């Protein structure tokens, strides 16, 4: 079957998609967007998190046919050309990228969190990222990166929380 959808704002077609094929496979192997990682294939690790119509989903659990005429956003779509999204830059600056396998899913999930909560608490960050597993290290640098991204976004909006001045 042919699946027609939008990826990162661009109309996209994938031909010869079989019934059981996942969105993750289509993105990586047919569309050429390898950012979303294939790890558990059970929706347990979050490495394949993408946006589907603006909501984060595990691409390994979405059948390709379900995205017909819908909008998909991947980690590749977060950057604006050569300029990283503030979330991506914060992960780099905070050293929150270890092997990088879990990073794309964490970036999309964090991007979504900061679109919903401008000043998330540590508990809110942990809850938002609870479906994303990192096998390399602890999560402190990831937490630092989310806090840094939130602070930078707040500074850019002029909405830094009280008491956050340096």
């Amino acid at each position: 079957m042919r699946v027609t959808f939008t990826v990162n704002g661009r109309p996209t077609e994938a031909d010869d998609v079989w019934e059981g094929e996942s969105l993750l496979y289509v993105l990586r192997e047919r569309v050429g967007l390898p950012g979303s990682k294939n790890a558990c294939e059970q929706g347990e690790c979050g490495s394949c998190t993408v946006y589907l119509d603006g909501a984060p989903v595990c691409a390994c659990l979405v059948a390709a046919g379900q995205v017909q005429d819908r909008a998909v956003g991947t980690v590749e779509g977060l950057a604006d050309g050569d300029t990283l999204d503030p979330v991506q830059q914060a992960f780099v600056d905070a050293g929150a990228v270890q092997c990088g396998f879990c990073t794309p899913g964490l970036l999309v999930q964090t991007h979504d969190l900061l679109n919903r909560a401008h000043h998330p608490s540590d508990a809110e960050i942990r809850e938002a990222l609870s479906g994303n597993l990192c096998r390399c290290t602890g999560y402190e640098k990831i937490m630092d990166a989310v806090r840094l991204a939130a602070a930078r976004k707040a500074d850019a909006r002029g909405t830094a929380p009280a008491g956050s001045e340096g």
Side-chain angles (χ1 to χ4, degrees):
M1 77 176 142
R2 171 178 284 171
V3 179
T4 305
F5 58 110
T6 303
V7 180
N8 299 329
R10 283 191 255 152
T12 302
E13 288 182 355
D15 289 323
D16 300 321
V17 175
W18 58 279
E19 291 177 16
E21 203 164 291
S22 71
L23 171 61
L24 177 61
Y25 184 87
V26 169
L27 290 172
R28 290 181 55 83
E29 305 301 329
R30 297 183 184 277
V31 180
L33 295 172
S36 304
K37 302 302 181 209
N38 185 2
C40 72
E41 297 185 8
Q42 298 176 5
E44 297 288 330
C45 72
S47 296
C48 64
T49 304
V50 299
Y51 283 114
L52 179 59
D53 291 339
V57 298
C58 289
C60 70
L61 297 180
V62 176
Q66 291 178 293
V67 302
Q68 178 68 35
D69 299 324
R70 298 176 76 180
V72 175
T74 70
V75 69
E76 290 94 340
L78 296 181
D80 184 13
D82 290 336
T83 304
L84 294 178
D85 181 85
V87 172
Q88 293 170 309
Q89 190 62 55
F91 270 67
V92 171
D93 294 344
V97 179
Q98 294 291 312
C99 80
F101 208 81
C102 66
T103 305
L106 286 164
L107 290 170
V108 172
Q109 200 67 45
T110 299
H111 187 266
D112 178 66
L113 169 66
L114 297 182
N115 283 338
R116 293 181 287 109
H118 293 168
H119 308 292
S121 67
D122 284 358
E124 291 170 320
I125 295 169
R126 285 188 188 97
E127 176 63 25
L129 302 182
S130 63
N132 296 77
L133 303 178
C134 174
R135 294 172 178 92
C136 293
T137 183
Y139 290 83
E140 197 53 44
K141 291 204 180 275
I142 294 167
M143 293 290 292
D144 290 345
V146 177
R147 290 184 203 110
L148 179 59
R152 287 178 176 170
K153 287 183 142 213
D155 284 346
R157 286 188 307 270
T159 61
S164 66
E165 304 82 34

